[in-house]
Amino acid sequence: MENYISIGKAAKYLGVSINTLRVWEKKKILVPERTPTGHRRYKMSQVESFEGKKYSRIQNTVFLYARVSTQKQADAGNLDRQIGRLTEYASNNKYAIQAVFRDIASGLNENRKGLQKLLKAVKETNNALVIIEYKDRLARFGYAYLEKYISDFGGHIVVIEKKDVDEQQELVEDLIAVTTSFSARIYEKRGGRVAKKLSKVIESEVMEA
């Protein structure tokens, strides 16, 4: 007797997003059956025989995204090395890179030019595979929202989970940025003085941790 699974289980088995399966259905690449109520059901034998991961490497438009917080980090070669590691990962997994997006900005900055270009490309592509080194490269906060946005347009994110040696220093810089912003609002002109005092405390505490 044939075993059927839901679209969610099929997506998890193949390592792609649910929206990717919907795109594949429209393109007649992998077509499920429908229940009387309209729900998609995939034959398990159909899913097992389909080389989903191999196929997705061909079908997905692959983007790399890299970020460092400061020009000093970029000048030290951190951004280039990060892109190099992402490129190596893509090459080892036989991904064809469509574009590389990069930023020199805090992970707290939502208006990064590279990030905005990436999100626009994801929307236009509808099947993007976004490769990043680790989650904080994409966003210090709000990563889940960006992940959902990319998923809603048929894409997904691959995190290769390598940590930068400068991550602790970057966290300090981001905390200082938050402190400066909020203290300036609370103390107005005195905010700069307050921020400097708080930033010294933050930096010393984090470095000693």
Side-chain angles (χ1 to χ4, degrees):
M1 184 176 178
E2 185 67 63
N3 184 29
Y4 288 83
I5 59 174
S6 66
I7 188 173
K9 290 183 178 179
K12 185 176 181 180
Y13 183 90
L14 293 172
V16 299
S17 70
I18 288 175
N19 279 328
T20 294
L21 288 184
R22 289 171 179 157
V23 171
W24 286 356
E25 181 183 359
K26 290 179 182 178
K27 294 181 177 181
K28 308 298 182 184
I29 294 168
L30 185 62
V31 181
E33 295 184 13
R34 295 275 185 163
T35 67
T37 55
H39 292 94
R40 295 174 177 84
R41 290 294 181 267
Y42 291 82
K43 292 181 180 179
M44 192 63 206
S45 59
Q46 174 191 25
V47 174
E48 289 174 337
S49 63
F50 182 77
E51 297 183 20
K53 290 184 180 180
K54 180 179 178 180
Y55 193 90
S56 67
R57 290 171 187 163
I58 299 171
Q59 286 298 116
N60 280 93
T61 301
V62 178
F63 298 132
L64 306 184
Y65 179 78
R67 180 187 64 79
V68 293
S69 282
T70 65
Q71 187 62 50
K72 181 179 179 181
Q73 291 174 326
D75 292 341
N78 291 3
L79 185 60
D80 290 338
R81 284 191 292 272
Q82 188 181 147
I83 293 172
R85 291 189 292 268
L86 293 172
T87 301
E88 181 181 8
Y89 177 89
S91 177
N92 290 341
N93 286 275
K94 304 187 186 303
Y95 290 122
I97 301 168
Q98 183 71 22
V100 178
F101 300 94
R102 67 198 76 195
D103 277 309
I104 302 173
S106 168
L108 299 172
N109 183 353
E110 298 176 349
N111 296 315
R112 286 170 267 152
K113 290 183 179 180
L115 177 62
Q116 294 304 316
K117 289 179 180 178
L118 169 65
L119 296 179
K120 181 180 178 181
V122 166
K123 182 178 179 180
E124 293 174 348
T125 302
N126 203 43
N127 68 340
L129 178 68
V130 179
I131 304 176
I132 58 177
E133 193 158 37
Y134 61 103
K135 292 180 179 181
D136 287 354
R137 294 301 88 204
L138 199 59
R140 182 66 71 181
F141 301 111
Y143 173 85
Y145 295 103
L146 292 175
E147 184 177 40
K148 185 178 186 305
Y149 178 92
I150 291 171
S151 176
D152 285 346
F153 286 103
H156 59 285
I157 302 172
V158 172
V159 184
I160 66 176
E161 297 290 1
K162 290 185 178 179
K163 296 293 184 181
D164 277 348
V165 293
D166 292 333
E167 183 190 8
Q168 188 178 54
Q169 178 60 37
E170 183 170 320
L171 177 59
V172 171
E173 291 166 355
D174 283 343
L175 288 172
I176 290 172
V178 172
T179 301
T180 302
S181 176
F182 278 95
S183 61
R185 291 180 184 181
I186 296 172
Y187 298 101
E188 298 181 341
K189 293 182 180 180
R190 290 188 298 152
R193 296 194 298 273
V194 174
K196 287 180 181 179
K197 292 180 181 179
L198 289 176
S199 65
K200 288 181 180 180
V201 173
I202 291 170
E203 188 163 6
S204 62
E205 288 294 325
V206 173
M207 290 306 179
E208 291 175 4

